[in-house]
Amino acid sequence: MSQEIPYKIYLSESEMPTAWYNLRADMKNKPAPLLNPGTGKPMGFDDLRGVFCDELVRQELDNDTPYIEIPDEIRSFYKMYRPSPLVRAYCLEKKLGTPAKIYYKFEGNNTSGSHKLNSAIAQAHYAKQQGLTGVTTETGAGQWGTALSMACAYLGLDCKVYMVKCSYEQKPFRREVMRTYGASVTPSPSNTTNVGRKILEKDPNTTGSLGCAISEAVEAATTTPGYRYVLGSVLNQVLLHQSVIGLEAKAALDKYGVKPDIIIGCAGGGSNLGGLIAPFMGQKLRGEADYRIIAVEPASCPSFTRGKFAYDFCDTGMVCPLAKMYTLGSGFIPSANHAGGLRYHGMSSTLSQLYHDGLMEARAVEQTSVFEAAEYFARVEGILPAPESSHAIRAAIDEALKCKETGEEKTILFGLTGTGYFDLYAYEAFNNGTMTDTIPTDEQLAASLATLPQIG
Ligand SMILES: Cc1ncc(COP(=O)(O)O)c(C=O)c1O
């Protein structure tokens, strides 16, 4: 075992990124524009500014500027919990007996427990800068809501969170962290919005989905003066903010002359993966280097691997713009999988375009095999991983085991997006042997995909 590379590679404050990297600037095939669901026309600044903060709309629509400076207030906040460690998984390598070299970028070192804080503070900053009084949002697993409530508390903004009902019930502790930071938390679907009431009328026992919660949060933002809606994933602006993960990881690896062969991340709406791969994919797009990039999603919500690349609504209530993405249909409600943050019917349009163009791969994994990997990892590396992050661990272990068979010394980098301290009901189900794998049938998917809007 070479000790030249430390267990943890940190960057100094002066080595931290001063600008986010906008991957779209290097894409030949740009992600398709958001469309107005009423007119079917691409949405511009004026169409979007009623929902999102002005500066975030500019970032959303900017397909050309490669680097966007990180404002001082955000950089100062980042310094409270970043740079996040890049860990060489020596213990995991040894236990697996693999010749592969495994690195992971750990984003769970802040109180909110995940990478979501990287975009939450950016979005809250721009809302405050615009003189708004508050923001609304949805949250699945609760990490995004927690992160946003932390950022809003720091900047003195109100924060209303619609939390997917099954997570609200499964994760009462996350709810209380959000309330402690001053956010109001409503289980979704709820009867506090028109769209929520409609969804409940159709299916009073629904466990909810991110798509439902988004519809409610958008309605609440557009009907409350001084508020805008913010989103924790999927959008281009969120991938932009999350590029800080990849920029730091690349700078740390470059310090030791390490180039990964395989880069792996879990994919819910695509923000951590889009952020982690950003500078590497940039090199790939510019023809400077090549990497194998793997998105890992749950078999219960397989948007990349079994979805369709088409325009669809970003939400269940069909009030949001249409995005061209890999989707399972906006009405698709996945089984109550424990990786709440990966239960989204669609995928970032940037990642969807890259996948469509063959620049990355995707695979779907089953819940119990994900928890087997999580348990294995926790026992050797010490960190209790979030169920979402454990999807990436599953794939990283599988790739490392392939290296063991072939004897190849590949370098694997994966994103460890968060901790699993608030996911102990999931671990309990796994430990008790009551965890199940629910995979949608072809018929269920076909029925959901049949409702895709017809765009010319
Ligand atoms: C810990 C963690 N990892 C990953 C995700 C997936 O989101 P994304 O694909 O936007 O990174 C979530 C979403 O809530 C999460 O909480």
Side-chain angles (χ1 to χ4, degrees), residues 114-116 141 143-144 232-234 266-273 341-342 386 388-389 417-418:
S114 82
H115 66 294
K116 298 278 173 174
Q143 277 96 337
W144 166 246
S233 185
V234 185
C266 64
S271 76
N272 84 84
L273 179 64
L342 306 184
E388 292 83 0
S389 325
T417 50

Side-chain angles (χ1 to χ4, degrees), residues 62-106:
D62 188 340
N63 281 340
D64 305 306
T65 312
Y67 287 95
I68 295 178
E69 202 181 311
I70 306 175
D72 282 345
E73 185 171 54
I74 302 173
R75 285 177 62 194
S76 304
F77 188 86
Y78 278 173
K79 282 178 191 165
M80 294 194 321
Y81 69 99
R82 308 199 67 81
S84 68
L86 179 77
V87 183
R88 171 76 186 269
Y90 282 119
C91 303
L92 179 62
E93 291 168 16
K94 191 169 168 205
K95 179 85 178 169
L96 290 169
T98 176
K101 296 172 179 62
I102 308 174
Y103 294 83
Y104 57 92
K105 179 78 169 154
F106 181 46

Side-chain angles (χ1 to χ4, degrees), residues 134-431:
V135 290
T136 70
T137 199
E138 78 301 323
T139 196
Q143 277 96 337
W144 166 246
T146 314
L148 187 69
S149 56
M150 235 176 119
C152 286
Y154 182 75
L155 296 177
L157 280 173
D158 292 342
C159 179
K160 282 190 196 178
V161 181
Y162 287 85
M163 184 169 189
V164 176
K165 200 197 271 167
C166 67
S167 298
Y168 185 90
E169 285 158 6
Q170 275 172 5
K171 302 187 179 188
F173 300 126
R174 278 229 170 262
R175 184 178 75 210
E176 293 315 316
V177 179
M178 286 186 256
R179 285 173 12 117
T180 304
Y181 280 110
S184 78
V185 189
T186 308
S188 169
S190 74
N191 56 18
T192 65
T193 61
N194 287 330
V195 67
R197 283 189 288 273
K198 253 193 226 158
I199 294 167
L200 280 175
E201 234 169 65
K202 255 206 212 148
D203 182 2
N205 296 321
T206 176
T207 52
S209 69
L210 274 177
C212 294
I214 293 174
S215 304
E216 290 207 274
V218 170
E219 184 181 320
T222 50
T223 53
T224 314
Y227 270 64
R228 290 292 186 281
Y229 166 68
V230 294
L231 180 60
S233 185
V234 185
L235 295 174
N236 295 328
Q237 57 188 269
V238 186
L239 268 70
L240 173 74
H241 307 146
Q242 294 296 357
S243 68
V244 70
I245 304 174
L247 292 164
E248 279 183 11
K250 185 158 188 315
L253 290 172
D254 284 350
K255 265 173 111 165
Y256 289 89
V258 175
K259 179 187 168 293
D261 299 297
I262 307 174
I263 305 171
I264 299 170
C266 64
S271 76
N272 84 84
L273 179 64
L276 175 68
I277 67 173
F280 303 100
M281 183 60 91
Q283 284 187 308
K284 187 165 164 139
L285 289 165
R286 296 189 300 271
E288 295 165 8
D290 199 14
Y291 303 96
R292 233 184 109 201
I293 291 170
I294 307 174
V296 193
E297 59 185 14
S300 58
C301 191
S303 16
F304 266 138
T305 50
R306 294 174 69 197
K308 207 168 157 182
F309 189 41
Y311 266 106
D312 194 10
F313 289 95
C314 295
D315 64 325
T316 310
M318 302 183 180
V319 296
C320 287
L322 296 163
K324 191 169 181 195
M325 57 186 175
Y326 278 86
T327 177
L328 298 167
S330 63
F332 180 77
I333 303 220
S335 65
N337 180 289
H338 287 288
L342 306 184
R343 296 176 79 239
Y344 182 60
H345 67 273
M347 185 54 64
S348 136
S349 57
T350 301
L351 292 190
S352 294
Q353 187 64 52
L354 293 167
Y355 180 64
H356 189 69
D357 290 342
L359 290 154
M360 54 185 273
E361 305 166 26
R363 75 176 61 154
V365 290
E366 291 177 23
Q367 177 162 242
T368 42
S369 80
V370 165
F371 274 81
E372 277 160 22
E375 180 194 76
Y376 191 92
F377 182 82
R379 290 182 187 181
V380 291
E381 285 289 320
I383 295 171
L384 183 76
E388 292 83 0
S389 325
S390 305
H391 287 66
I393 299 176
R394 172 75 274 163
I397 290 180
D398 290 345
E399 288 301 318
L401 289 174
K402 271 188 217 157
C403 290
K404 186 175 173 176
E405 267 171 35
T406 60
E408 285 173 293
E409 287 186 27
K410 292 211 167 123
T411 298
I412 300 168
L413 166 66
F414 74 89
L416 188 67
T417 50
T419 61
Y421 291 120
F422 290 117
D423 299 287
L424 292 171
Y425 287 123
Y427 278 96
E428 182 185 39
F430 178 70
N431 291 332

